[in-house]
Amino acid sequence: MPIPILTEVANNGGGTSGVGAAVAQQLALRGAQIILLTQQPPSDPFLVDYIEDIRSATNNELIHAEQVDLSSLHSIRLFATRWVDNAPPRRLDMLVLCANTMTPRFGRADLTQDSIESNWGINYLANFHLLGILSPALRAQPPDRDVRIILGTCSSHIGGEINALKDTRSPLPPRKEYGTSKLALMTFAQAYQKHLDAYQRPDKQANNARVILVDPGLTRTPGMRRWLSMGSLWGLLLYLITWPIWWLTLKSPQMGAQSFLYAAMEADLGTGSGGRFVKECRERGFLRKEIRDEQVAKTLWEFSDKQIEALEKEGAARRAREKKVGKADNEKVATKDQKEQGESKAPRSNGAKAPGSRRSRKA
């Protein structure tokens, strides 16, 4: 039977490329049912062609797409709520979250739709929000299933500073935004595993959902290209000149996907405790002690919950104002149309002619 898998294949730039696309294609080759989480709507012509290409290449028709804009907390909530509210619960065997963004050295920091710095908003907060809402769907899976939540990370987490977070729209320390967002994601992954383990199932069975962190290594992806070019034209020119070096030293997306495939299919990772870390198709230990620090994880969880609550309230108020303004504009247009129609249908007295008639022009 096909294994339903949710996987992110697009970064915030909207390109269906990189490691996520390679993982989706390899899993589709093995007969999995893939639901791609993309920024574009399923009706987008490029996305329609992309899905048809994967179906043809893998001989697998069980590939679909659902829209989730990771730069919008509201979009994430709409998708996750629809998934959780489905009755009976939808089958979900695996969740692969590897969408990613990074601000290069000389690039300008982007903001999400909620006006949050993009490294924090997309690399960490979006995953925190999505998994928080999908938690009931993961816990509702039958106990005989091997449910895996695979999160993509990066070795740059070693240089992150999770204790330096600020309660602002840009909470990350300067020059360490990307690494800190990955360190926060890895810390949250450990806390989320404990959250799943603490749930007591109605059937009294043990938790069957396991979180696995994966570092694909240095790979030739759009994100790596932005980092090497440092967000400048001169950097891009230098990158193109030195392209043969990068082609030899960096992995292809297909090679980078191997660690994700190992995390998805290795039998040993489906037994025992979760919260493990995979790199180069091998289980590794953590190099930062904060990742397993319960107090740090608790502080981070509370900080994230508080931030999301404030942002969602602000977003709801903004959408209400926009809706009110749009309704008022529609009423004005409707009133104007009714007035014009009434004037055109009104009878004219004393044989008066319309201003544009021949008799009025002679007068």
Side-chain angles (χ1 to χ4, degrees):
M1 183 176 182
I3 299 175
I5 298 174
L6 289 179
T7 178
E8 297 169 344
V9 299
N11 60 12
N12 197 44
T16 42
S17 59
V19 174
V23 171
Q25 186 166 9
Q26 290 298 316
L27 290 174
L29 276 170
R30 291 161 173 80
Q33 178 184 349
I34 307 292
I35 300 176
L36 307 176
L37 306 184
T38 63
Q39 187 179 17
Q40 302 88 354
S43 59
D44 182 82
F46 173 81
L47 184 57
V48 171
D49 291 342
Y50 174 76
I51 292 177
E52 287 301 324
D53 289 343
I54 296 183
R55 289 174 176 174
S56 300
T58 61
N59 195 28
N60 185 347
E61 294 296 321
L62 300 176
I63 303 173
H64 309 279
E66 294 197 28
Q67 183 179 17
V68 185
D69 187 353
L70 298 180
S71 67
S72 169
L73 296 175
H74 181 59
S75 176
I76 294 171
R77 179 171 289 279
L78 288 178
F79 163 77
T81 302
R82 285 197 306 269
W83 187 282
V84 171
D85 287 346
N86 193 79
R90 295 175 69 176
R91 178 171 179 173
L92 180 58
D93 292 80
M94 191 178 301
L95 187 59
V96 183
L97 303 178
C98 53
N100 181 67
T101 189
M102 180 180 61
T103 303
R105 180 181 295 273
F106 299 115
R108 186 174 60 182
D110 296 326
L111 298 178
T112 67
Q113 293 189 25
D114 301 288
S115 300
I116 286 288
E117 199 273 334
S118 59
N119 286 281
W120 177 254
I122 295 174
N123 297 345
Y124 167 70
L125 207 61
N127 292 314
F128 177 90
H129 194 39
L130 178 62
L131 289 175
I133 302 176
L134 286 180
S135 179
L138 294 169
R139 295 182 300 191
Q141 302 303 313
D144 59 330
R145 291 184 188 162
D146 177 12
V147 181
R148 303 189 186 190
I149 303 101
I150 302 175
L151 299 173
T153 184
C154 176
S155 57
S156 61
H157 76 274
I158 299 172
E161 292 292 341
I162 197 172
N163 294 320
L165 296 178
K166 299 173 291 184
D167 191 10
T168 64
R169 295 302 177 95
S170 182
L172 303 175
R175 300 296 180 186
K176 296 183 178 181
E177 294 91 346
Y178 183 75
T180 303
S181 69
K182 291 300 183 181
L183 179 59
L185 180 64
M186 297 177 74
T187 304
F188 161 68
Q190 300 299 311
Y192 192 71
Q193 182 64 63
K194 294 177 182 178
H195 164 75
L196 294 173
D197 291 340
Y199 174 69
Q200 294 186 357
R201 297 173 58 96
D203 54 16
K204 306 301 181 182
Q205 297 292 325
N207 169 55
N208 61 332
R210 294 171 180 84
V211 180
I212 304 172
L213 290 158
V214 175
D215 181 358
L218 300 178
T219 310
R220 296 192 302 269
T221 61
M224 177 61 72
R225 182 174 65 243
R226 291 187 68 196
W227 182 69
L228 291 174
S229 64
M230 297 180 287
S232 67
L233 291 177
W234 287 110
L236 181 59
L237 177 61
L238 181 62
Y239 173 78
L240 293 175
I241 293 173
T242 56
W243 165 249
I245 298 175
W246 304 124
W247 188 87
L248 290 172
T249 57
L250 299 179
K251 300 178 183 178
S252 67
Q254 290 72 26
M255 293 177 64
Q258 297 309 305
S259 291
F260 279 95
L261 297 176
Y262 177 85
M265 295 182 289
E266 174 58 37
D268 289 343
L269 295 176
T271 60
S273 60
R276 300 190 228 182
F277 178 43
V278 172
K279 183 176 182 178
E280 303 296 343
C281 295
R282 293 177 58 188
E283 188 175 345
R284 304 293 182 93
F286 296 109
L287 298 178
R288 292 293 299 267
K289 62 180 181 180
E290 295 95 329
I291 295 175
R292 293 190 179 276
D293 191 315
E294 294 187 4
Q295 185 57 45
V296 172
K298 180 180 179 181
T299 303
L300 176 65
W301 193 301
E302 293 174 349
F303 176 85
S304 306
D305 262 339
K306 180 181 177 182
Q307 190 174 46
I308 287 178
E309 182 181 359
L311 290 172
E312 287 200 303
K313 286 182 179 179
E314 182 179 319
R318 182 178 64 253
R319 289 190 298 274
R321 289 195 300 269
E322 292 173 353
K323 183 177 180 180
K324 186 176 181 180
V325 171
K327 184 178 180 180
D329 291 342
N330 292 336
E331 290 178 352
K332 288 181 180 179
V333 172
T335 302
K336 184 178 179 181
D337 291 343
Q338 291 176 359
K339 184 177 180 181
E340 291 177 352
Q341 291 176 4
E343 290 177 352
S344 63
K345 293 181 180 180
R348 299 187 182 276
S349 59
N350 300 326
K353 297 294 184 179
S357 66
R358 184 179 299 176
R359 184 178 300 178
S360 66
R361 288 198 298 270
K362 289 181 178 180

